[in-house]
Amino acid sequence: MHADQATIRRILTELGDTWAVVGLSANQQRAAYGVAETLQRYGKRIVPVHPKAETVHGEVGYPTLEAVPFKIDVVDVFVRSELAGAVADEAVAVGAQAVWFQLGVVDDDAAHRTRAAGLAMVMNRCPAIEIPRLA
């Protein structure tokens, strides 16, 4: 199962407001840019995670999840499916509470590993679509 409404609601309302957005850069043409902006509008603190470590939407970027010097609640993943599993494993390692694979990002093995580690997991969905539905 990619996501159930209860898990989506729990991630968006209960598991914390610091979202690392992996793959987020200053490129306004990329989906991550608009999604991060929407998350901010709904009160989430976004943390850009990208090899370039660019500042985006006023938030300092970091090259990896490991480099972020504070607690991350949710890891929102905007990388190709074949790279997503490694990001999910990193999310577990840094103590995140949830992993969210964006639309088109699917890795069933990573989802199983992530859930087995006790994290909430959503796959192939977009929080910018889901969060307005909660209002």
Side-chain angles (χ1 to χ4, degrees):
M1 169 166 333
H2 289 185
D4 61 78
Q5 282 308 119
T7 301
I8 289 170
R9 177 174 292 280
R10 199 165 126 249
I11 292 172
L12 290 171
T13 64
E14 297 174 25
L15 294 186
D17 291 332
T18 301
W19 285 54
V21 184
V22 178
L24 175 59
S25 70
N27 183 345
Q28 296 181 23
Q29 306 307 310
R30 306 291 298 181
Y33 190 89
V35 170
E37 193 170 44
T38 299
L39 288 169
Q40 274 188 325
R41 201 166 51 247
Y42 280 88
K44 307 299 182 190
R45 176 185 185 187
I46 58 112
V47 181
V49 177
H50 188 281
K52 293 180 183 174
E54 298 173 304
T55 295
V56 184
H57 300 306
E59 294 286 349
V60 173
Y62 298 90
T64 63
L65 287 172
E66 259 186 8
V68 178
F70 47 82
K71 186 176 181 329
I72 297 165
D73 300 312
V74 181
V75 176
D76 189 8
V77 182
F78 278 93
V79 299
R80 293 189 314 273
S81 295
E82 58 268 23
L83 303 175
V87 176
D89 295 339
E90 256 192 277
V92 171
V94 301
Q97 297 185 66
V99 174
W100 191 302
F101 283 3
Q102 278 295 326
L103 289 172
V105 180
V106 177
D107 181 333
D108 290 319
D109 290 338
H112 291 301
R113 285 195 312 273
T114 302
R115 289 185 183 116
L119 282 69
M121 175 76 201
V122 170
M123 187 164 53
N124 196 27
R125 298 298 268 282
C126 180
I129 293 170
E130 301 296 337
I131 202 166
R133 294 178 179 169
L134 299 178

